[in-house]
Structures are given as structure tokens and as C-alpha cells.
Amino acid sequence: MKDEHRLLIALQDLDIMIKEVKDKATSKELEDLGFKLTGLSVLQEARTKLASAVPKTLLNRYEKLAEHYTVAILPVSGSRCLGCFVKLPTSFFSSASRVELQTCENCGRLLYIP
Amino acid sequence: MEASKLISFFEEDLCIFHLRSRKKISALTEIVHHLALQKRISDERFILDMLKNRENLGSTGLGNGVAFPHGRSLAIKELTVLFARSAAGVDFEALDGKPTHVFFLILAPSDKGSETYLAILSELIGLIQKPAKLKALNETVDFPSLVGIFEGKDD
């Protein structure tokens, strides 16, 4: 897996966490359980730093998808896109596909083979 | 969720009864490495980075010697719960400043909602409110005794 793809996956994990904290219902539930969620600004700083390391074209693709989907990049499991569960074509699993990020032809999400 | 149902999320292979690390990051690293050895995660680095970020948001060491590291990641396929215990205690920067002896790690896949792990978190936090259960968790050294804590009667 390319470094830039690894950065994007880390960015997706971080974005999910930030989204959870910003979600009032989830953050209230966590706070009611006793967790102190005081470090959102630290996460946002980490996000800025991480995003700046992702190549701009790739970041733009990701950001556009993230406007529509909570999870914009996904690993392939079995032979399906885990975002829309559409079966992927055989060509998806060629040797080149294992290195490059692919796009689900149905939903447009970025896909990688872990 | 009943306590006896809660134990169904635990597996013997995902229990560390003698955690060696004494500091926060090394403890998380040891736990994540154990998950990798058990082939439960596709990439140690992603999980470790996610857990570090979660700790930067606020310590998951809630005090009373118990911590609940948790989060969602692309590097995990299914809901995974790991139990770890340290007799000596870990400096986990807990909210009460005391050493942490018991760890419940909860990981959920990114494509599932947070409710998948919040329900388990809630039940586990309820469990440790019972002094006898907490004491038993601190002392457990094998999987059958851990199961017994969940299946045993309440205080």
C-alpha cells in the first residue's frame, strides 16, 4: 500500500472520531458515561497536519466524497464494496488494483485491498 | 444487556492477564500488538494511531483503576473486545491520577455506527460500579475466572 493511501486511511479514522465528538447525541452519551472530551482542538490540529501530507488531488477526491458519506474510503471485503455492497468486477482484483486505490463504480467511494 | 450476554463479546485469545507495560503508550502498543498476533486487525499502526488520537481527546482512564480505550477504524473488520489486566498498574493518565489495573478495549469497524460499541461501554461501566466485581476484575488471572465475574451474582 502506498504511503499516501495510508495517510488517507488514517485521515478517515480521525474524521470519524471528530464527527462522533461533534455529534451532540454521541458526545452526550460518552460524557454521561464519565468521559471528558476536552481535546477536540488537538484532534483538529492533528487532522490539519495529516491532511496537508496527502497529495492535493487525492485529498480533494476524498473531501468531496466525505461530504456525502461518513466513510469515504473503505477496504474491500470478499468481493463487495462495503459502502454500497455492490459486487465488484473481476478486473478489480488485478495486480495493479492491489496497489492503486480504486473507485466503486456504483457509489464512487474509494476502495483498497488491505 | 445482561452481564452473561456481555461475556459473549470476550474471547480467551483476546485476554492479557499479565500486561507488562507500565506507561500509557507502551501499554496500548502491547495491547494492539496482541490483537495483531491474534490476526484481529489488518494494520497495527492504524489502530494505535486511532487509540492515541482518542486519548488526546481525553483519557479513557475513567478512574478506580479501569480504562476503556475505544474507537472505530478501517483496520478492524468486526466488533472486537479485549480484556487486559496489570497487577502492577499502568500510568494511564487516568482522570483520578491513580494507576490503571484493568483495561477493556473496544474496537468497532468504521462502517458501523458508534452505537455498536457504546452499548458495550455502557454495560461495562455499569459493571465496574459494583465494588465486588471491580475487586474480582483486579484479581482475575484466567479466562474461567473472568467469565465467572460476568456470570456471577451481583453485589
Side-chain angles (χ1 to χ4, degrees), chain A residues 12-42:
Chain A
Q12 174 70 89
D13 277 356
L14 189 50
D15 277 347
I16 286 173
M17 192 178 296
I18 290 171
K19 196 167 185 174
E20 273 191 11
V21 182
K22 286 184 172 176
D23 178 75
K24 285 182 181 170
T26 307
S27 59
K28 184 180 183 309
E29 198 166 344
L30 284 166
E31 283 169 346
D32 287 348
L33 289 172
F35 295 101
K36 309 282 182 213
L37 309 175
T38 54
L40 179 58
S41 61
V42 181

Side-chain angles (χ1 to χ4, degrees), chain A residues 6 9 12-14 16-17 20-21 26 29-30 33-40 43 71 73 75 112, chain B residues 43 45-46 50 53-54 56-58 60 62 68 70 72-74 95 110-111 114 117-118 121-122 125:
Chain A
R6 295 185 65 83
I9 292 165
Q12 174 70 89
D13 277 356
L14 189 50
I16 286 173
M17 192 178 296
E20 273 191 11
V21 182
T26 307
E29 198 166 344
L30 284 166
L33 289 172
F35 295 101
K36 309 282 182 213
L37 309 175
T38 54
L40 179 58
L43 295 192
V71 184
I73 176 170
Y112 65 94
Chain B
D43 193 297
R45 184 65 186 271
F46 290 138
M50 183 276 288
N53 282 326
R54 177 61 189 84
N56 286 335
L57 176 62
T60 61
L62 292 188
F68 300 87
H70 63 267
R72 292 156 67 191
S73 173
L74 289 169
L95 299 181
S110 298
D111 57 326
S114 53
Y117 71 82
L118 283 174
L121 255 181
S122 175
I125 289 170

Side-chain angles (χ1 to χ4, degrees), chain B residues 13-71:
Chain B
D13 289 345
L14 298 185
C15 292
I16 306 172
F17 291 100
H18 303 284
L19 198 66
R20 293 185 305 273
S21 307
R22 301 294 306 275
K23 296 282 185 188
K24 183 177 221 171
I25 300 303
S26 56
L28 288 173
T29 305
E30 185 179 344
I31 288 170
V32 170
H33 186 60
H34 184 84
L35 287 170
L37 289 175
Q38 298 300 325
K39 303 189 189 317
R40 303 309 174 98
I41 54 177
S42 60
D43 193 297
E44 284 184 60
R45 184 65 186 271
F46 290 138
I47 299 290
L48 192 56
D49 284 350
M50 183 276 288
L51 291 172
K52 284 181 187 173
N53 282 326
R54 177 61 189 84
E55 294 303 319
N56 286 335
L57 176 62
S59 180
T60 61
L62 292 188
N64 285 325
V66 189
F68 300 87
H70 63 267

Side-chain angles (χ1 to χ4, degrees), chain A residues 62-69 72:
Chain A
Y62 168 82
E63 302 276 26
K64 277 198 169 181
L65 285 165
E67 286 174 14
H68 300 285
Y69 302 121

